[in-house]
Amino acid sequence: VLSLSDELMDCNTQYRDMKAAAEKQAKLNEAKSLFRVKRIYAGSYDSVGGVYIYFDFVNLSDKPIKYVHFSFSFYNSVGDEVWDEFSQSTSCYYTGPVYKGEGTESGWRWGKYYNWNIARVELDSLWLEYMDGTKYYFSDDQIAHITY
């Protein structure tokens, strides 16, 4: 038989868990109202092993974006991380302004990278700098939530 104190502790734990879940969902919803990643992927290889990275996105917020900062990682067909053979940099930015409803055209290319083993591209970080100077940093969970 649980004592009243044990029951109150149980209720308090359940309340904290529910509150944390609600706060997490609110942050996911906020991110989804600001920005959408349509897709990020590696294209076809050229004759020397170069592959373009495609990054399609749209601004869903009312605020115009000055810069879209992002970084990504490459993975081979068995899930191991691989790197560009010439440059280790995978941090990039897109210069706006990007107004509500605008973004990159379908098939917009970002850089050419060289490694015959690139099979998958994953977005590692994403943050927006708005024309008014404010910034919004997306968490890993938020990045996953806005990529659809």
Side-chain angles (χ1 to χ4, degrees), residues 85-111:
E85 293 176 4
F86 300 108
S87 167
Q88 298 302 310
S89 177
T90 58
S91 294
C92 312
Y93 68 91
Y94 180 88
T95 303
V98 183
Y99 297 98
K100 184 174 186 167
E102 297 180 345
T104 52
E105 298 293 321
S106 181
W108 180 72
R109 298 187 309 211
W110 183 263

Side-chain angles (χ1 to χ4, degrees), residues 72 74 81-91 113-114:
F72 44 86
F74 305 119
E81 190 169 5
V82 295
W83 293 268
D84 177 66
E85 293 176 4
F86 300 108
S87 167
Q88 298 302 310
S89 177
T90 58
S91 294
Y113 294 88
Y114 292 87

Side-chain angles (χ1 to χ4, degrees), residues 47-106:
S47 61
V48 293
V51 62
Y52 283 108
I53 302 306
Y54 294 86
F55 180 50
D56 298 334
F57 64 82
V58 64
N59 178 12
L60 301 176
S61 75
D62 291 328
K63 294 167 58 169
I65 298 170
K66 186 175 186 179
Y67 296 106
V68 177
H69 298 265
F70 59 99
S71 66
F72 44 86
S73 295
F74 305 119
Y75 296 88
N76 63 20
S77 59
V78 295
D80 293 330
E81 190 169 5
V82 295
W83 293 268
D84 177 66
E85 293 176 4
F86 300 108
S87 167
Q88 298 302 310
S89 177
T90 58
S91 294
C92 312
Y93 68 91
Y94 180 88
T95 303
V98 183
Y99 297 98
K100 184 174 186 167
E102 297 180 345
T104 52
E105 298 293 321
S106 181

Side-chain angles (χ1 to χ4, degrees), residues 21 24 39 41 47 88 93 103 124 148:
K24 181 179 178 180
R39 59 188 179 160
Y41 65 98
S47 61
Q88 298 302 310
Y93 68 91
D124 290 332
Y148 61 97

Side-chain angles (χ1 to χ4, degrees), residues 11-29:
C11 287
N12 190 27
T13 300
Q14 289 176 10
Y15 170 77
R16 282 195 311 252
D17 291 347
M18 289 172 49
K19 184 177 178 186
E23 289 170 356
K24 181 179 178 180
Q25 188 60 50
K27 288 190 178 291
L28 293 176
N29 292 343

